[in-house]
Amino acid sequence: MLIRRANERGNFDFGWLNTSHTFSFGHYYDPKFMGYESLRVINDDRVRAGAGFQTHGHQNMEIVSYVLEGALAHKDSMGNDGVIRPGEVQRMSAGTGVTHSEFNHDQENTTGFLQIWFLPAEQGTEPSYEQKAFSEDEKRGQLKLVASQNGRDGSVTIGQDVDMYAGLFDGAESASHQLSAQRKAWLHVARGSLQVNGQDLNQGDGVGFEAGATIELANGDKAEVLIFDMAPLD
């Protein structure tokens, strides 16, 4: 287990945005944490009331937004114009190029969300967008598949060999996830606390797992967890 504590991340407070970077991003550079296999970015963003990301562009990146609190308005050059709320997963494949904006229109409350990027399996694909909601019941005490390369089991489809799971754990609720001998994983504690393979983890902590590992989740306290089960890059 490679444990990355929340307080070890790069943190920046721009006034309108307080953001913590698990991996190197923007002005934050840590050669030991450039990503984990195809997982390139986990930014833990808190967007101030009435603020947001102005229109900007992306290319050749698989981008997943996972809202934890509040609401995030999204508008892009593909014609999508909507709102992402807690329990929803948004996937945007930037491909040959896309522009978009993300905004917290609430004038009183902060929006908290995870901005997650994956390197794509193929360059230069047609940009695309998808958004789906997953109920608390689907994630309560278990790991629910919310994104995958083939969109199986109702998950959003992502252009990389990644299975992304989300789970909610409290008290006696527990779950395990077995990696195959060919796949690695990264775990991120989105909120709350729990034990992972006997280690105490808190909000913002992350863990990397080598191929073939077993991941055991237990003793959660209002915990929300994401696991990224990935094929190693060549």
Side-chain angles (χ1 to χ4, degrees):
M1 292 171 59
L2 170 65
I3 298 178
R4 171 74 150 160
R5 295 294 181 183
N7 61 6
E8 298 170 349
R9 300 176 297 176
N11 177 261
F12 300 89
D13 190 345
F14 300 105
W16 67 274
L17 170 71
N18 189 299
T19 179
S20 294
H21 305 329
T22 296
F23 304 114
S24 296
F25 182 88
H27 297 296
Y28 174 64
Y29 175 71
D30 184 337
K32 300 187 299 294
F33 290 93
M34 296 300 296
Y36 198 76
E37 300 303 329
S38 61
L39 177 59
R40 181 62 188 83
V41 169
I42 301 179
N43 289 351
D44 193 345
D45 291 341
R46 297 293 183 270
V47 183
R48 192 187 66 196
F53 299 87
Q54 301 296 330
T55 301
H56 58 284
H58 298 283
Q59 280 186 305
N60 291 317
M61 195 66 69
E62 298 292 306
I63 300 171
V64 173
S65 295
Y66 191 93
V67 175
L68 297 168
E69 61 179 316
L72 189 68
H74 168 95
K75 189 173 184 179
D76 64 43
S77 54
M78 294 178 284
N80 300 295
D81 187 353
V83 178
I84 318 164
R85 294 182 172 85
E88 296 181 326
V89 177
Q90 178 211 70
R91 184 271 305 163
M92 187 174 72
S93 298
T96 54
V98 65
T99 60
H100 75 139
S101 62
E102 297 162 296
F103 218 84
N104 175 15
H105 288 303
D106 192 314
Q107 297 302 306
E108 297 181 359
N109 300 303
T110 296
T111 288
F113 79 107
L114 297 174
Q115 183 180 168
I116 304 161
W117 295 11
F118 299 93
L119 301 172
E122 296 182 42
Q123 302 274 312
T125 59
E126 186 73 18
S128 62
Y129 176 95
E130 191 177 9
Q131 182 176 332
K132 289 188 177 181
F134 300 91
S135 70
E136 284 199 8
D137 286 345
E138 292 179 280
K139 296 176 285 186
R140 173 57 56 197
Q142 60 188 337
L143 293 168
K144 170 63 179 176
L145 185 69
V146 297
S148 63
Q149 191 173 34
N150 56 11
R152 69 185 187 281
D153 299 333
S155 61
V156 300
T157 303
I158 189 167
Q160 179 54 269
D161 190 358
V162 175
D163 290 338
M164 174 178 168
Y165 296 89
L168 303 171
F169 298 94
D170 235 340
E173 296 169 341
S174 63
S176 65
H177 182 75
Q178 179 66 52
L179 296 175
S180 77
Q182 291 77 40
R183 298 176 73 84
K184 297 183 178 183
W186 186 270
L187 178 149
H188 181 81
V189 183
R191 70 168 96 232
S193 63
L194 80 166
Q195 288 185 329
V196 178
N197 292 13
Q199 292 281 339
D200 292 327
L201 297 181
N202 298 299
Q203 181 172 327
D205 290 347
V207 185
F209 293 90
E210 291 298 311
T214 301
I215 304 172
E216 300 281 357
L217 311 177
N219 298 319
D221 182 6
K222 299 179 178 62
E224 185 163 6
V225 179
L226 300 179
I227 293 178
F228 310 98
D229 181 326
M230 301 171 281
L233 294 178
D234 294 334

